[in-house]
Amino acid sequence: MDNYGYFDDKNKEYVVTDPKTPIKWTNYVGTLNFGGLMDCTGGALICKQDPALNRMTKYIAQMPQSDFKGSTIYLRVKSAAGTTVFSPFLTPTLKPLDSFECRVGLSYSRWVVEAYGIRAKITAFVPQSAEVLLQDIQITNISGEPLSVDVIPVYEFSHFDALKQLVNADWVPQTMTVKAHKETTGHVILEQYAFMKRDVAVNYVTCDRAVDSFDGDRRQFLGDNEFGSWANPLSLANEHLSNSECDRGDNIAALMIKLGNLQANETQRTITQLGQSTTVTSARPSIDKYRDHKAVDAALTELADFWSNYLETMVVDTPDEAMNSMLNIHNPRQCHTTKNWSRYLSLYQLGYGARGIGFRDSSQDLIGVMSHMPEEAREFLERLLSVQNPDGSAMHQYFPLTMEANEGDSREEEHMPKYYGDDHLWAVLACAQYIKETGNVDFLDKEIPFYSKTLPPKERELGTVYEHLKRALAFTFNNVGQHKLPLLGFADWNDTVNLPAGAESLFVANLFGTAIKELVNITEFINDNATTDLLNHYHQTMKQRVNDTAWDGDWWVRYYTAEGEPIGSHKNTYGSIYTNGQSWPVMSGFSEGERRTQSLQSVYDKLNTQYGIKLSGPGYNGYDDNLGGVSTYPPGAKENGGIFLHSNPWVMIAETIEGNGDRAFEYYNQINPAFHNDNMKVFESEPYCYPQNILGDEHKQFGMGRNAWLSGTASWTYVAGTQYILGIRPTINGLIVDPCIPKDWPSFSVTRKFRGATYEIHVKNPNKRNKGVTVLSLNGERIEGTLIPIQPSGTHTITVTL
């Protein structure tokens, strides 16, 4: 099958029309504070604050698509012809459906399904101001004759310590408990907890109606010592569930909700709740609130209003509909998701505690949401800076419940450096983006502690944000190897190249140069001449070192080993050229003139494919302990010659700096997941969000996408598309309009909200140019250059001619 659904931009949804997608396709509901992911067949992985330390539902990502996955709904339909039990999600009963839609919305999923004489409309979401997953279930009789319908929602619980659920089959079941709270009204609340959490954090499941019966013990629900199955729970052959509680064992929450006899075209509605609170008593206000249908409707409206306001920050209208769809809806939504979840919980990063909130990852994610939610991004940035070390380097990741930080994978290699060469520098870019967006230079004066493993937070060294940023730059400048280039540490952005200690990274050198440029704009604005001079010295010195040592003839070297041997050079049989080695020297300003042009052309000639730019090539063909993780993949996979999408927008940005709008847009189109919607035999991944990687042309499955949602591709492609191709980017002094577009675009327009004002920007391209503003007017008055000064509140009209 070439596609499994379509884009509905009017409703800001992607509509899945066939539940049998090539792989599990997912959506996110709620946030890390409370929420998780739901797949298109109703499976749910829900947690509160930390998926490793406070997981609620048991979703095993590696299980087949057809299996039960933490959550489902059964419908039992009785007619004159007999009784049918099926799931509107298809799984786990696998009974055929007449029609199926899963509408992947903005923080909600909605199923509209017809089968066995009924239409089921199910909307799952987490309200903006609550910590509960709601499922709004509406059942309509479309059979033309009376039907009796029962709704049986089921959740399976995980131990709160997610990894222990998988590795300790003695202790975990001994601690797990489900107790029923029966109300005089017939309502039931099923309370679930691991024993040690009984008095501090309990899960609960309830609904808005009186409940016929329930089960809390999986063994009882499935029946016959669990020789009944999720596809055919034997308990559903009985009129009632067994009202089982559970003092130990596998905990579930199953409710039998009898809607009664539905006449032709009659609709009945019921709403389930899955939440967590200190106690059931403390949850009562929320439980009572969301048993009211009006409150549920209001919560869904509030969620829609949030997204409407969020997306109104920037609205584009270009000649390319796929670009419009991504930049107006799906790309900013994915940026919001990565901001919330970093790389912590997806079907690929499984949230069992091996990986928390990444310093490098989240610093980049914040750049993608800064125009839409700057103050929330600032709060997140403060948490990141609190795990920066006093020497200026940074811990690689932290856990949000405890704020405990660690050095990442470098802990596993005793002989390797215990820091990543790039982590700390990304915070400079994120901080600069915040100040450019808001103008709030006072943020530089806020004091934030540096991290210490041995000292409690109140005893840790304090430093202003400004001091944190300056120490980050000083650390890189002072920790250099034999070419006086920055040391790699355990790794740089490319986690999989783990060279022995003493190796140097050209990526870190160029990220360092880019970070300096960003901070200099701020130091000049606040008239800190001494720091400006120091940073300019850093930049000029590193630029000279890079140009003196790293040019390989047609492209830039990527690394030097401790022995001084180049990697990413024509001298190398494998890995002779790296994409990031060519894009970042342009962004840093270290690559200019013929070298800039030639290095970007080498990317196009040697690394570009129809599905995107490969990270490097040729792929290493065998494991090499001196290279590390990159050689654990076969050629064409992931970092070993695969199309690692995160690196593609950096080349787009570099090409706009070069002035080549046609090529920048070609690169943008190649990785736009919307373009793959009719190519699912090859691509397989969700077409509504960027995956992390696509298999490269050295691999037999060239074009296959994997690892959707949590990727820095989202943030940087949004930046590349809006700030560099469309050219609308903030500065500390105002808004720049400097597009670099395809020559054949006659015009485009953008509405951009910036510092309390709204800018209606109209760009015309009568001369078929890529780049170069010839006329710019503000409210009818011509101004020189490309900078629109800060304007008062209200709407302002900008017209631009290229």
Side-chain angles (χ1 to χ4, degrees):
M1 187 170 182
D2 292 333
N3 67 60
Y4 291 81
Y6 62 92
F7 287 89
D8 182 355
D9 286 355
K10 180 180 179 181
N11 291 305
K12 299 181 175 64
E13 297 171 333
Y14 182 87
V15 185
V16 180
T17 55
D18 183 343
K20 297 180 181 180
T21 53
I23 56 176
K24 299 178 186 75
W25 288 5
T26 63
N27 193 13
Y28 280 80
V29 293
T31 66
L32 181 58
N33 190 56
F34 183 95
L37 57 87
M38 297 194 74
D39 68 33
C40 290
T41 56
L45 202 173
I46 304 299
C47 67
K48 182 177 178 180
Q49 296 180 314
D50 193 319
L53 301 177
N54 196 6
R55 190 173 297 216
M56 295 170 63
T57 59
K58 189 168 77 173
Y59 187 118
I60 309 299
Q62 298 94 327
M63 297 301 287
Q65 290 223 68
S66 58
D67 283 5
F68 173 85
K69 299 177 290 294
S71 169
T72 196
I73 295 172
Y74 297 94
L75 299 178
R76 187 164 67 181
V77 181
K78 301 175 184 177
S79 67
T83 300
T84 301
V85 176
F86 74 101
S87 173
F89 302 133
L90 183 63
T91 64
T93 61
L94 302 182
K95 290 186 177 177
L97 306 170
D98 296 331
S99 66
F100 175 93
E101 282 188 353
C102 174
R103 291 184 164 265
V104 180
L106 300 173
S107 298
Y108 68 88
S109 288
R110 176 176 291 128
W111 291 263
V112 182
V113 176
E114 294 183 359
Y116 307 101
I118 67 169
R119 177 186 299 116
K121 179 181 177 182
I122 303 166
T123 305
F125 71 102
V126 174
Q128 287 283 99
S129 54
E131 297 177 351
V132 59
L133 173 67
L134 302 178
Q135 288 196 116
D136 182 352
I137 305 164
Q138 300 181 42
I139 305 296
T140 302
N141 179 357
I142 60 172
S143 71
E145 60 183 20
L147 296 175
S148 175
V149 180
D150 301 329
V151 178
I152 307 96
V154 184
Y155 293 100
E156 184 173 22
F157 293 102
S158 169
H159 192 274
F160 65 87
D161 186 328
L163 187 59
K164 285 188 172 62
Q165 176 70 52
L166 300 183
V167 300
N168 194 324
D170 174 29
W171 179 70
V172 165
Q174 299 286 3
T175 73
M176 299 284 273
T177 304
V178 175
K179 293 194 176 298
H181 299 264
K182 301 175 184 178
E183 304 175 36
T184 57
T185 57
H187 292 81
V188 171
I189 302 171
L190 294 180
E191 176 189 16
Q192 188 276 334
Y193 51 82
F195 184 75
M196 65 187 292
K197 292 283 190 177
R198 182 192 65 185
D199 302 319
V200 293
V202 300
N203 302 319
Y204 64 87
V205 169
T206 190
C207 72
D208 61 323
R209 290 174 174 251
V211 171
D212 171 82
S213 51
F214 59 86
D215 266 321
D217 189 327
R218 188 182 75 182
R219 185 181 179 191
Q220 294 297 318
F221 180 73
L222 297 181
D224 196 15
N225 292 328
E226 295 194 307
F227 280 83
S229 67
W230 289 112
N232 181 29
L234 299 183
S235 64
L236 297 187
N238 304 321
E239 184 63 24
H240 312 286
L241 299 181
S242 65
N243 289 343
S244 64
E245 298 175 279
C246 197
D247 290 327
R248 67 160 306 283
D250 295 298
N251 289 184
I252 68 167
L255 302 176
M256 174 71 75
I257 307 168
K258 290 182 175 288
L259 301 184
N261 291 315
L262 275 66
Q263 300 303 310
N265 300 316
E266 181 183 354
T267 298
Q268 288 286 332
R269 182 182 187 189
T270 186
I271 295 162
T272 67
Q273 303 181 33
L274 168 68
Q276 186 184 101
S277 190
T278 307
T279 63
V280 169
T281 300
S282 66
R284 285 307 309 228
S286 179
I287 289 172
D288 292 341
K289 177 178 180 178
Y290 293 112
R291 283 178 175 171
D292 183 343
H293 293 186
K294 291 182 180 179
V296 174
D297 293 339
L300 193 57
T301 298
E302 182 184 17
L303 183 63
D305 289 344
F306 165 81
W307 279 108
S308 179
N309 292 331
Y310 186 89
L311 297 176
E312 283 175 0
T313 297
M314 188 165 192
V315 179
V316 313
D317 184 9
T318 77
D320 189 271
E321 288 302 318
M323 185 182 210
N324 295 341
S325 182
M326 291 306 293
L327 293 184
N328 289 332
I329 305 168
H330 303 286
N331 196 174
R333 189 281 163 92
Q334 189 178 356
C335 290
H336 183 273
T337 301
T338 59
K339 180 264 181 188
N340 274 286
W341 296 93
S342 190
R343 307 298 174 271
Y344 206 172
L345 180 66
S346 72
L347 296 188
Y348 305 89
Q349 289 92 18
L350 299 177
Y352 288 115
R355 186 171 187 169
I357 302 296
F359 193 101
R360 166 210 299 154
D361 299 328
S362 288
S363 295
Q364 294 175 79
D365 295 338
L366 295 181
I367 296 172
V369 300
M370 201 65 75
S371 54
H372 296 73
M373 50 193 316
E375 297 310 319
E376 293 89 338
R378 173 189 52 76
E379 292 171 359
F380 201 140
L381 179 56
E382 291 175 15
R383 291 194 292 276
L384 291 172
L385 290 174
S386 75
V387 295
Q388 183 183 6
N389 296 313
D391 66 3
S393 67
M395 302 300 279
H396 191 58
Q397 60 195 16
Y398 71 89
F399 299 98
L401 263 180
T402 63
M403 289 306 296
E404 178 186 353
N406 64 52
E407 300 90 348
D409 289 344
S410 66
R411 295 169 295 164
E412 300 173 9
E413 304 287 345
E414 287 299 322
H415 63 290
M416 296 290 282
K418 293 298 178 284
Y419 71 94
Y420 288 68
D422 65 316
D423 276 349
H424 49 287
L425 296 171
W426 295 106
V428 182
L429 271 62
C431 183
Q433 193 73 13
Y434 169 74
I435 292 174
K436 287 189 291 185
E437 187 66 37
T438 65
N440 179 18
V441 294
D442 292 341
F443 177 55
L444 294 172
D445 298 325
K446 185 177 180 71
E447 289 192 328
I448 295 175
F450 289 95
Y451 189 73
S452 171
K453 283 188 174 182
T454 58
L455 294 175
K458 291 183 179 180
E459 297 180 21
R460 294 172 185 172
E461 180 186 357
L462 286 173
T464 64
V465 170
Y466 199 22
E467 180 64 20
H468 278 260
L469 304 185
K470 289 190 287 187
R471 287 196 197 181
L473 294 171
F475 178 87
T476 297
F477 189 73
N478 294 325
N479 284 270
V480 295
Q482 66 169 283
H483 296 92
K484 303 299 182 183
L485 299 171
L487 290 171
L488 172 65
F490 178 72
D492 57 24
W493 174 89
N494 189 341
D495 290 298
T496 67
V497 178
N498 313 118
L499 305 175
E504 297 167 295
S505 167
L506 272 299
F507 180 93
V508 176
N510 285 287
L511 175 59
F512 173 72
T514 305
I516 290 171
K517 289 171 59 180
E518 293 290 333
L519 193 55
V520 162
N521 291 331
I522 296 169
T523 62
E524 290 177 341
F525 183 82
I526 63 176
N527 296 314
D528 183 355
N529 296 329
T531 302
T532 299
D533 290 344
L534 176 64
L535 295 181
N536 283 331
H537 165 69
Y538 282 172
H539 194 274
Q540 292 163 9
T541 302
M542 192 61 67
K543 180 178 181 178
Q544 189 66 49
R545 293 173 183 173
V546 169
N547 275 272
D548 286 349
T549 62
W551 182 247
D552 198 56
D554 289 316
W555 58 83
W556 299 93
V557 169
R558 179 64 171 83
Y559 305 91
Y560 280 106
T561 67
E563 296 74 29
E565 293 299 316
I567 294 177
S569 163
H570 71 277
K571 297 178 181 179
N572 305 125
T573 302
Y574 303 106
S576 62
I577 178 171
Y578 280 72
T579 293
N580 289 346
Q582 319 317 315
S583 55
W584 276 89
V586 178
M587 295 167 68
S588 68
F590 294 171
S591 180
E592 298 174 315
E594 291 184 6
R595 288 185 173 184
R596 183 172 77 185
T597 301
Q598 180 55 52
S599 62
L600 292 176
Q601 186 62 40
S602 293
V603 171
Y604 191 77
D605 292 341
K606 293 182 173 295
L607 296 172
N608 191 44
T609 77
Q610 70 188 90
Y611 297 126
I613 304 166
K614 298 184 290 186
L615 188 59
S616 61
Y620 298 100
N621 195 15
Y623 179 68
D624 184 342
D625 188 53
N626 288 321
L627 285 169
V630 67
S631 62
T632 64
Y633 299 105
K638 293 271 284 187
E639 288 93 341
N640 188 22
I643 302 164
F644 211 90
L645 273 71
H646 193 156
S647 63
N648 279 238
W650 294 332
V651 185
M652 299 173 205
I653 293 171
E655 289 288 1
T656 66
I657 294 171
E658 176 74 359
N660 193 343
D662 292 301
R663 186 165 290 175
F665 188 67
E666 178 183 354
Y667 289 148
Y668 180 90
N669 272 344
Q670 286 176 171
I671 69 166
N672 187 340
F675 276 104
H676 294 287
N677 193 51
D678 296 327
N679 187 36
M680 282 300 147
K681 285 183 179 178
V682 175
F683 186 61
E684 297 191 350
S685 189
E686 293 96 319
Y688 46 83
C689 62
Y690 289 96
Q692 180 209 69
N693 64 88
I694 295 174
L695 291 173
D697 56 6
E698 293 179 80
H699 199 284
K700 290 182 179 180
Q701 293 169 290
F702 174 43
M704 177 187 289
R706 282 299 186 271
N707 206 339
W709 281 109
L710 303 186
S711 168
T713 309
S715 176
W716 278 107
T717 306
Y718 189 67
V719 169
T722 58
Q723 296 190 26
Y724 288 89
I725 295 176
L726 302 186
I728 316 298
R729 57 185 178 270
T731 73
I732 199 166
N733 295 302
L735 199 63
I736 281 181
V737 181
D738 186 21
C740 187
I741 59 175
K743 291 187 181 73
D744 61 3
W745 277 17
S747 63
F748 72 89
S749 62
V750 174
T751 300
R752 175 68 153 90
K753 293 184 177 181
F754 179 63
R755 298 199 201 174
T758 299
Y759 297 81
E760 297 285 355
I761 302 168
H762 306 277
V763 178
K764 300 178 181 179
N765 187 23
N767 300 312
K768 296 185 179 298
R769 303 179 64 177
N770 286 139
K771 188 179 177 72
V773 172
T774 58
V775 179
L776 187 152
S777 66
L778 166 64
N779 297 326
E781 295 187 12
R782 184 166 178 172
I783 58 177
E784 295 300 318
T786 59
L787 177 67
I788 303 166
I790 304 297
Q791 297 299 306
S793 61
T795 300
H796 304 275
T797 301
I798 313 300
T799 57
V800 177
T801 302
L802 300 184

